[in-house]
Amino acid sequence: METTDTLLRRFEQLIAVGAALSSERNIDRLLENILLAAKAITRAEGGTLYQLTEDQQHLHFEIVHNDRLGIALGGAGGQPISGKFHDLPLRAADGSPNHSLVAAYAANTGLTVNVPDAYATAGFDFSGTRRFDQSTGYRSKSFLTVPMKNHEGDLIGVLQLLNAIDPQTGEVGAF
């Protein structure tokens, strides 16, 4: 249970982030600030920001951050991301909406998806996550995946947060 002081600090942080975002004109810095602010507010260990491709057929990895692994790719301050990750298709091979990948599902449905444990959740294909974990020794567990829309309600991307950290125990839990 969060104390009133903790909630107040998080609320103040949200207000400060909103003010900073409203004045930012550099799109790479703006997107990175959105990801970093969302990570801080949710106490996420990592996060990915995908942008909708121009042809609106894929989600492109724009920014990837992971504190535990020391990864900072894309955005205004990270290493280049191109070629490190494949775009996520929004359509399946038969042309139907891709609902197997959690980020594509969020983009296609407009719904926020909260996955408490990727290894124990049915309905989504986390094979890419498992390969990443196997190659790095990491353990991806909880995911919070949010479609991003512009002021007109059009999809522009997806924000995905990874591994909510409990501030008391330091353990990974659900969002």
Side-chain angles (χ1 to χ4, degrees):
M1 180 105 183
E2 291 188 282
T3 66
T4 303
D5 286 344
T6 302
L7 289 172
L8 183 58
R9 278 194 302 277
R10 289 178 76 188
F11 184 66
E12 288 170 344
Q13 183 180 27
L14 182 60
I15 291 170
V17 166
L21 292 177
S22 68
S23 64
E24 185 57 64
R25 299 293 175 239
N26 177 311
I27 189 69
D28 290 334
R29 190 169 292 119
L30 175 64
L31 293 175
E32 187 168 30
N33 286 343
I34 289 169
L35 177 63
L36 295 175
K39 277 180 65 242
I41 290 166
T42 61
R43 296 187 185 97
E45 183 172 74
T48 301
L49 194 142
Y50 305 91
Q51 271 195 299
L52 186 63
T53 57
E54 197 171 313
D55 65 6
Q56 300 186 355
Q57 297 300 307
H58 295 85
L59 292 173
H60 176 72
F61 282 84
E62 207 55 50
I63 304 170
V64 177
H65 277 239
N66 187 294
D67 299 338
R68 184 166 302 193
L69 294 175
I71 295 173
L73 301 172
Q79 298 295 316
I81 198 169
S82 62
K84 292 184 175 33
F85 298 97
H86 299 288
D87 289 352
L88 304 180
L90 292 178
R91 299 270 170 223
D94 66 2
S96 65
N98 180 357
H99 287 175
S100 67
L101 302 174
V102 69
Y105 177 86
N108 283 320
T109 64
L111 299 173
T112 295
V113 182
N114 187 350
V115 175
D117 188 343
Y119 284 64
T121 299
F124 293 113
D125 177 2
F126 283 105
S127 60
T129 299
R130 287 187 175 99
R131 281 192 303 275
F132 176 83
D133 287 355
Q134 189 174 31
S135 71
T136 61
Y138 188 68
R139 171 57 162 93
S140 301
K141 185 174 181 180
S142 56
F143 286 78
L144 183 62
T145 308
V146 182
M148 294 174 50
K149 297 181 178 185
N150 64 16
H151 64 280
E152 295 170 346
D154 298 323
L155 180 75
I156 58 170
V158 171
L159 174 68
Q160 188 169 69
L161 301 166
L162 174 64
N163 287 359
I165 303 297
D166 182 294
Q168 270 73 45
T169 66
E171 297 294 316
V172 174
F175 284 95

